[in-house]
Amino acid sequence: MELQGVLIDIDYVSSAGRSIIRLTLKSNSGVYSILDKNFYPYFRLIPYNSNVDLSSIEKMLFRDNQGNQIAIHKVSKSNMTLYGKEKTVLKVEVNTSRSVPEISKMLTEFGEAYEYDILFWKRYLIDKQINPLHGITAEVHEEDGQLVLDNIKELNEEYKLEKGLTCMCFDIETYNPSVVPRPEKDPAIMISYYTGGEAAVLTTKKINRKFVKTYANEKEMISAFVKLIREKDVDIISGYNSSNFDIPYLMKRAEKNGINFHIGRYDEDVRQEHHGLLEAIKIPGRINLDVYNVARFVSIVGASEKLIKINRFTLSEVYRAISGDTKITVDKKNIWQIWDGSDADLEELADYSLSDSVTLNRLYEFFINLQIETAKVSRLTLAENAVSTTGQLVEALLMRYASDNNEIVPNKPSQYEINDRMSNPIEGAFVKTPEAGIYDHIVVLDFRSLYPSIIISHNIDPSTIADRSYSEAVSESPNGIRFKMHPVGIIPKALKKLIDDRKEIKKAYKNDPDNQTLAARSSALKILANSFYGYLGYARSRWYSRDCAASVTAYGRSYITMTIEHAEKAGFKVLYSDTDSIFIQLQGKRKEDAMKFLNDINSELPELMELELEDFYVRGVFVGKKGAESGGAKKKYALLSEGGRVKIKGFELVRRDWSNVARTTQKDVLEAILKEGSKEKALQIVKDVLTRLRDGKVELKDLIIYTQLRKGIDKYDGKSPELAAARKAIQKGAKTKEEVEGATIGYIITRSGNTISEKAEIDELADSYDPDYYINHQVVPATLKILKELGFSEEELKGGGVQKRL
């Protein structure tokens, strides 16, 4: 029998002393579970003696940590390459996935083990050359009531699911008389969900809302939720911080109530797994997608401007950033009191619970295309992709390319190697700092994908590094490292494919600008391509190479300084340059002259490298270094394009640790200078804000300062205002220690106290503000660095003094 569909999950089951791959395939005719009994877990061994007797190794018996006997299934020999050098390699197949690390360690007397830590299901995807979310054909037969695989391959054309991937968004509320809910004691009191346009709240009290479903007790409520998921048979279960809270909480409450929490497609337990710094939840046969993790990832990679500037990644804040709307909220620490309150209180709580799932569904719809396309590009499952860093995505892709090129995947570094790498940092990019001031008629030029194009153009890869005796074609970097030009390494090969694919996608998107799938695919390809250089120099990388990473930045410095020299010879004034950008002033020249200069530079660059026009700017502001009388600051400027677009980089308005009143005042000052060219209006803006501050007319919400407490509060020695505010909040019962540690704290400097730390209160407790603090430590510092370039002094900003210079 032949089945066609989309692979949405892959894991393995244990049966008769074997680890057997299980595929979950979704087609338009249904969802199928398929077992592959012909694929065995394995690792590779580079023997010390290439003439090693395979049969003697194959017959060896071992015992695991529990004293059970384990054996090798099969050993075979082949030739592969490691860092460009050919090696004799043994493929050691075993019966169970868990015996791979054990047997590989026991065979170290015969050789060096590799690929022993690649997860069994990842190994399968790599070797079978199939990709999750892509269409596949599976030839199967029935055996003891199960579908067993005979052959599998990826379809050449895309397989379209008529209903797409179905999702259920959910959220829980818990009883919390101790503020922080205790799963061993405090029950879940509500479970809300949204799926396919249907939304409801499951609970154990009668509430006068049509969307509420009432059950006799918590046990029946959780059982009904499990049954609902299985009946709806959704592909994706999505929550917000659900991997850390909601799902583990329900798992413990289900155990407390003596019921199975089998929300997967199989009668198996949900599993909690560590995934780097994240907690992951494995739901057999389904996809777990925690939108909290997704939002953080998207913010870090800069894939959404809406998220970069938010202060806290709460559901409410992310929803407001994405939609511009606000959601229903309640005081979370008092949920238990609302639950024990009046009928009206219960109705409010039900409305809030439902809004969490409805809100979450909107966020899910915002993020899902990018998640799917990133998973397709990295060739990971959607569940794995949702908990991966950019480095892990790059690594997954490189493993595929290594397999395709018959290369051994390098081992992860030891802690000693990691420490050694971190102690030997790589020289970074070239920066020409600007002279502080305001300039007209600016042209900004950027190297398109500078580091990726350098890697491709010069074939930079750990396997292509050549010594001085190598006599074939090489490319020698400015720091003296030589790279063979043939064959092409897997890193430049993978990068070129990503960049070429993105070119084609961008062309298609230009012709179909409403196609969100194309937009997401373009973003996914860009995210992966821009992450390769960082992975080369990442201390924990399998493919780490200091020579490679240092050569990339050396080439980058060489190309940017060459461009600066040419610009100056052509009569332009170079205002600023950083990594891959150059800011030049026309100085009486025409736009045509700038474009000719651009074309001249491109004619001298390698074929894949290109200097591009970012834009022409009417005016720009560059500020001085902190505390310096002369010299400009890097990565801190504001520009006004000819089309009226304001580009702001590095100022407080894009940082979280300044109050909104400081950020918005600074933004208004910049726009007055850039758009209207009026230094008088800029000065008046600041004076007006300072007057409002002195008169107590600024709202408290505009005075909140956000800072993240990255350590436990007991591990701090100093007395910072955010730390003081957090400690006072705990003492007053407004926050728990668990709520503040690792969290972003919002605080206000009030009038109560002598020192700044004594005056700091979390925003929920603050009832006043200290105008002098916000004048002297927020608004004036945020704007003086700009206005001093116009000749204004601090005294003038505050209402006195004479302008120093023009």
Side-chain angles (χ1 to χ4, degrees):
M1 178 170 60
E2 182 179 280
L3 297 173
Q4 289 190 351
V6 172
L7 182 65
I8 61 173
D9 189 36
I10 176 172
D11 56 6
Y12 68 91
V13 295
S14 298
S15 176
R18 283 278 317 279
S19 294
I20 300 172
I21 286 289
R22 178 174 63 190
L23 309 168
T24 303
L25 182 74
K26 181 172 184 178
S27 74
N28 289 321
S29 59
V31 179
Y32 301 91
S33 173
I34 304 169
L35 301 179
D36 189 341
K37 296 183 178 181
N38 296 317
F39 191 82
Y40 285 76
Y42 70 86
F43 63 94
R44 302 191 193 277
L45 191 77
I46 299 179
Y48 300 130
N49 179 2
S50 60
N51 295 319
V52 64
D53 182 6
L54 301 189
S55 62
S56 63
I57 293 180
E58 207 168 80
K59 293 174 183 176
M60 294 179 72
L61 298 175
F62 307 91
R63 291 199 179 274
D64 62 19
N65 295 331
Q66 287 75 42
N68 302 313
Q69 184 172 288
I70 51 177
I72 292 172
H73 171 67
K74 183 181 177 183
V75 180
S76 55
K77 184 190 291 187
S78 65
N79 290 327
M80 299 181 71
T81 59
L82 179 65
Y83 296 125
K85 297 179 180 178
E86 189 167 296
K87 303 284 184 181
T88 297
V89 182
L90 304 185
K91 177 182 178 181
V92 183
E93 297 179 62
V94 297
N95 291 309
T96 67
S97 176
R98 92 174 160 270
S99 63
V100 168
E102 295 175 329
I103 294 180
S104 65
K105 191 178 293 183
M106 294 170 185
L107 287 180
T108 51
E109 63 178 291
F110 296 97
E112 189 171 1
Y114 286 87
E115 302 188 3
Y116 51 83
D117 57 354
I118 298 176
L119 296 176
F120 186 28
W121 64 266
K122 283 188 181 180
R123 175 86 272 167
Y124 184 87
L125 292 176
I126 292 169
D127 287 17
K128 294 294 184 179
Q129 296 184 319
I130 58 174
N131 301 305
L133 304 180
H134 287 244
I136 61 172
T137 295
E139 294 176 9
V140 301
H141 68 273
E142 193 169 329
E143 189 176 299
D144 298 327
Q146 296 177 313
L147 293 180
V148 177
L149 187 74
D150 296 317
N151 188 37
I152 188 169
K153 63 181 180 180
E154 191 162 302
L155 291 171
N156 292 326
E157 67 279 356
E158 185 177 354
Y159 184 91
K160 290 188 177 295
L161 290 172
E162 293 173 357
K163 296 181 180 179
L165 295 175
T166 58
C167 175
M168 177 181 286
C169 294
F170 84 102
D171 186 75
I172 72 170
E173 310 304 333
T174 58
Y175 197 68
N176 62 334
S178 297
V179 182
V180 177
R182 303 159 295 184
E184 71 281 355
K185 186 175 182 178
D186 298 325
I189 54 178
M190 287 183 177
I191 305 174
S192 64
Y193 71 87
Y194 182 100
T195 181
E198 175 188 329
V201 172
L202 315 183
T203 187
T204 57
K205 286 187 178 181
K206 289 186 177 181
I207 302 173
N208 187 25
R209 287 288 189 265
K210 289 183 178 180
F211 55 78
V212 169
K213 300 178 181 179
T214 306
Y215 298 88
N217 49 47
E218 183 190 29
K219 179 177 181 178
E220 288 193 13
M221 178 184 71
I222 296 175
S223 296
F225 181 60
V226 173
K227 183 180 179 183
L228 181 72
I229 291 174
R230 295 177 73 90
E231 286 178 348
K232 297 288 185 183
D233 198 25
V234 293
D235 303 309
I236 300 172
I237 296 177
S238 181
Y240 200 84
N241 200 32
S242 52
S243 297
N244 284 305
F245 181 73
D246 301 69
I247 294 178
Y249 204 95
L250 288 177
M251 290 168 65
K252 290 173 183 176
R253 294 309 301 169
E255 182 181 7
K256 190 79 174 177
N257 283 282
I259 56 176
N260 292 322
F261 192 66
H262 292 169
I263 59 173
R265 281 196 161 107
Y266 312 109
D267 288 326
E268 300 169 11
D269 291 333
V270 172
R271 299 193 302 273
Q272 292 179 271
E273 302 172 346
H274 293 293
H275 198 284
L277 298 175
L278 297 178
E279 292 297 314
I281 296 290
K282 174 64 179 174
I283 305 174
R286 303 194 203 279
I287 298 164
N288 176 51
L289 196 145
D290 190 331
V291 173
Y292 171 78
N293 294 334
V294 172
R296 294 297 299 262
F297 173 85
V298 170
S299 174
I300 290 168
V301 300
S304 173
E305 288 291 332
K306 295 177 179 179
L307 290 182
I308 292 174
K309 301 173 186 178
I310 68 172
N311 296 306
R312 288 184 282 196
F313 282 85
T314 62
L315 179 60
S316 297
E317 290 239 9
V318 174
Y319 178 68
R320 182 165 55 244
I322 297 301
S323 68
D325 297 332
T326 57
K327 67 175 291 293
I328 299 171
T329 59
V330 298
D331 187 350
K332 284 194 171 185
K333 66 179 179 294
N334 293 327
I335 283 180
W336 68 284
Q337 292 176 317
I338 302 173
W339 177 253
D340 289 338
S342 65
D343 289 347
D345 290 334
L346 288 172
E347 291 165 8
E348 178 191 13
L349 188 59
D351 292 340
Y352 164 73
S353 178
L354 187 72
S355 75
D356 276 355
S357 289
V358 174
T359 295
L360 178 60
N361 182 70
R362 288 192 63 180
L363 296 185
Y364 167 84
E365 291 177 343
F366 179 83
F367 290 119
I368 189 58
N369 279 336
L370 180 62
Q371 284 300 293
I372 289 174
E373 296 306 321
T374 308
K376 285 182 176 179
V377 172
S378 63
R379 305 179 189 178
L380 287 172
T381 64
L382 184 53
E384 180 82 359
N385 178 80
V387 291
S388 294
T389 63
T390 54
Q392 290 164 338
L393 298 180
V394 170
E395 184 171 282
L397 191 57
L398 287 179
M399 285 183 181
R400 292 296 191 99
Y401 275 83
S403 176
D404 293 345
N405 286 267
N406 200 38
E407 290 192 18
I408 299 169
V409 174
N411 287 333
K412 291 179 180 179
S414 66
Q415 190 57 52
Y416 174 82
E417 290 174 304
I418 292 169
N419 293 340
D420 183 60
R421 293 171 179 181
M422 293 178 71
S423 67
N424 194 14
I426 295 163
E427 184 180 356
F430 172 80
V431 178
K432 173 182 170 58
T433 56
E435 294 180 18
I438 299 170
Y439 301 88
D440 294 332
H441 309 303
I442 299 169
V443 186
V444 177
L445 306 173
D446 285 317
F447 279 99
R448 177 172 57 84
S449 303
L450 178 62
Y451 286 173
S453 63
I454 286 172
I455 292 171
I456 297 167
S457 297
H458 300 284
N459 202 26
I460 295 176
D461 186 279
S463 69
T464 64
I465 296 175
D467 58 28
R468 290 289 160 182
S469 65
Y470 185 78
S471 59
E472 303 294 328
V474 297
S475 174
E476 184 167 335
S477 71
N479 59 346
I481 307 301
R482 305 168 85 234
F483 297 94
K484 303 172 187 176
M485 294 308 291
H486 301 286
V488 177
I490 64 168
I491 289 176
K493 185 179 290 187
L495 264 176
K496 188 172 189 307
K497 180 71 165 61
L498 293 173
I499 289 173
D500 288 347
D501 284 354
R502 187 162 185 253
K503 282 182 184 177
E504 294 304 312
I505 292 295
K506 287 175 76 174
K507 287 179 185 176
Y509 184 52
K510 189 174 182 180
N511 296 324
D512 187 7
D514 295 326
N515 190 320
Q516 294 305 303
T517 298
L518 291 176
R521 175 65 65 89
S522 178
S523 294
L525 291 164
K526 181 179 179 181
I527 289 168
L528 264 292
N530 287 344
S531 301
F532 270 72
Y533 163 72
Y535 183 73
L536 265 176
Y538 175 50
R540 298 180 184 275
S541 165
R542 291 179 187 267
W543 275 274
Y544 171 89
S545 171
R546 192 179 193 284
D547 284 345
C548 288
S551 295
V552 173
T553 56
Y555 270 119
R557 293 191 298 273
S558 175
Y559 285 121
I560 203 75
T561 52
M562 178 268 287
T563 305
I564 290 171
E565 290 170 3
H566 280 51
E568 290 173 342
K569 285 180 183 177
F572 298 101
K573 178 180 176 66
V574 179
L575 299 174
Y576 173 57
S577 177
D578 187 358
T579 309
D580 60 355
S581 300
I582 178 171
F583 297 58
I584 60 177
Q585 190 177 25
L586 290 177
Q587 293 206 131
K589 289 183 174 292
R590 301 169 303 162
K591 292 181 183 178
E592 291 80 2
D593 297 322
M595 297 308 295
K596 181 181 182 303
F597 164 72
L598 180 67
N599 293 330
D600 290 344
I601 289 290
N602 282 327
S603 68
E604 298 184 26
L605 293 173
E607 183 180 352
L608 291 172
M609 296 188 67
E610 183 180 359
L611 188 66
E612 296 179 314
L613 171 70
E614 179 190 289
D615 212 340
F616 290 98
Y617 293 92
V618 176
R619 192 171 292 113
V621 177
F622 297 88
V623 299
K625 295 177 183 177
K626 186 176 181 180
E629 287 298 321
S630 62
K634 62 181 182 179
K635 297 184 187 297
K636 189 169 288 190
Y637 54 84
L639 302 169
L640 174 68
S641 74
E642 290 184 339
R645 178 176 63 92
V646 175
K647 179 179 180 179
I648 298 171
K649 183 82 170 180
F651 285 105
E652 279 65 44
L653 60 96
V654 294
R655 285 175 49 184
R656 300 175 187 169
D657 54 348
W658 285 73
S659 62
N660 189 52
V661 68
R663 294 199 304 268
T664 54
T665 304
Q666 187 184 72
K667 181 174 184 290
D668 291 344
V669 164
L670 286 170
E671 290 189 348
I673 295 168
L674 293 173
K675 291 185 175 180
E676 301 180 39
S678 173
K679 60 180 182 289
E680 291 80 10
K681 181 175 180 179
L683 177 63
Q684 192 59 48
I685 286 170
V686 179
K687 288 185 174 183
D688 290 346
V689 171
L690 298 189
T691 298
R692 288 175 53 230
L693 278 167
R694 293 188 186 101
D695 294 344
K697 294 182 178 179
V698 177
E699 293 186 53
L700 290 177
K701 66 181 178 65
D702 289 325
L703 302 168
I704 302 171
I705 302 166
Y706 293 99
T707 304
Q708 186 175 8
L709 294 178
R710 299 187 181 276
K711 300 186 292 186
I713 60 173
D714 297 329
K715 295 181 180 179
Y716 286 92
D717 296 327
K719 295 182 178 179
S720 64
E722 64 270 18
L723 186 61
R727 284 174 172 162
K728 281 188 278 186
I730 293 170
Q731 291 169 1
K732 295 177 181 179
K735 295 281 185 183
T736 65
K737 188 176 179 182
E738 291 77 11
E739 283 182 296
V740 300
E741 290 186 338
T744 299
I745 300 298
Y747 65 92
I748 293 173
I749 304 302
T750 68
R751 292 179 177 273
S752 304
N754 296 314
T755 66
I756 291 176
S757 291
E758 288 175 0
K759 294 179 178 182
E761 294 278 3
I762 63 167
D763 52 317
E764 295 99 317
L765 298 178
D767 57 6
S768 66
Y769 71 85
D770 180 356
D772 289 338
Y773 172 83
Y774 285 96
I775 290 170
N776 296 317
H777 297 280
Q778 290 277 310
V779 175
V780 169
T783 55
L784 181 60
K785 61 183 65 178
I786 303 165
L787 291 176
K788 72 177 181 181
E789 309 306 337
L790 297 172
F792 294 114
S793 66
E794 183 174 347
E795 290 76 18
E796 287 175 276
L797 264 67
K798 293 180 179 179
V802 180
Q803 185 177 353
K804 292 189 296 183
R805 57 186 169 84
L806 293 176

